Amino acid sequence: LAKAKNIKCVGNSIKGLFGYQGIELATCSESNISNNHIEGISNSDANCSCIGVSQAIVGELSTNNIINGNIIVDSKVGIRLGYSKNTTISSNTFDYNYTDIAVDSYGEESIISNNTISYTRDKSIYCFGGDSVVSINNNIFKGLEYQAIVSENSQGVGRRLIIQGNTFSGYGGL
């Protein structure tokens, strides 16, 4: 979906894609991706994910989108935010993904809340680059093999994370 507003992508089942996005919002605003079941999205390119939020036109961000109530299973990257602002990721279920949520340097002012994240194979929530705020609140992390929340920045500026009210069980941690 590109350069659109008020898109509703609801109740779809997407399985077994290689090298493609499951659902992509590119320069979209005020849209809702909810109650989808996405499974087995694999790739050699980390830019491909089950749900991606990015730009279709250079310099125009995707803004004010909501991603909620989705089930994302056994994929390389669950949700990737790039070239987005004010995205809310809430009440999703992630199970046995390599990375559940990736927020890159152009994913600005994001809220990640009330998600259930189980048996992640690498990083549950991975924030890299950028200097905007990402709020990570009231999520449940279960059976982690590695790290729940990772923030890396090689650009010399710091991403500001607000982490509160999360529950961790099993291995892994911040």
Side-chain angles (χ1 to χ4, degrees):
L1 306 169
K3 194 84 172 122
K5 185 175 183 178
N6 293 319
I7 297 295
K8 304 238 183 295
C9 185
V10 179
N12 298 288
S13 179
I14 301 170
K15 294 184 181 181
L17 296 176
F18 180 83
Y20 295 95
Q21 301 279 46
I23 299 169
E24 172 75 12
L25 293 178
T27 311
C28 292
S29 63
E30 299 171 26
S31 296
N32 187 315
I33 299 174
S34 62
N35 301 317
N36 299 288
H37 183 116
I38 306 171
E39 185 173 344
I41 307 296
S42 61
N43 55 46
S44 57
D45 181 357
N47 289 320
C48 292
S49 57
C50 293
I51 299 173
V53 182
S54 65
Q55 66 181 355
I57 299 170
V58 174
E60 292 188 25
L61 302 177
S62 287
T63 59
N64 303 314
N65 294 299
I66 297 171
I67 302 169
N68 72 313
N70 299 286
I71 298 170
I72 299 173
V73 179
D74 194 24
S75 296
K76 186 164 183 183
V77 179
I79 296 172
R80 182 182 173 105
L81 300 183
Y83 300 100
S84 62
K85 186 170 186 172
N86 297 326
T87 302
T88 299
I89 299 171
S90 67
S91 303
N92 298 286
T93 300
F94 298 88
D95 191 23
Y96 204 68
N97 299 298
Y98 186 76
T99 297
D100 297 299
I101 300 169
V103 182
D104 77 14
S105 57
Y106 300 101
E108 301 176 7
E109 313 302 329
S110 306
I111 298 171
I112 301 169
S113 66
N114 300 307
N115 298 287
T116 300
I117 301 172
S118 303
Y119 304 103
T120 303
R121 291 178 273 173
D122 190 32
K123 300 170 184 80
S124 296
I125 299 175
Y126 181 37
C127 301
F128 54 99
D131 63 354
S132 68
V133 174
V134 176
S135 297
I136 302 170
N137 307 311
N138 303 315
N139 298 285
I140 298 170
F141 297 87
K142 300 189 283 189
L144 304 174
E145 291 185 29
Y146 296 102
Q147 296 171 311
I149 301 170
V150 177
S151 181
E152 295 179 357
N153 198 329
S154 62
Q155 299 171 342
V157 293
R159 166 97 50 199
R160 295 173 305 238
L161 300 180
I162 300 171
I163 303 170
Q164 59 189 9
N166 298 287
T167 302
F168 302 91
S169 66
Y171 301 105
L174 298 175

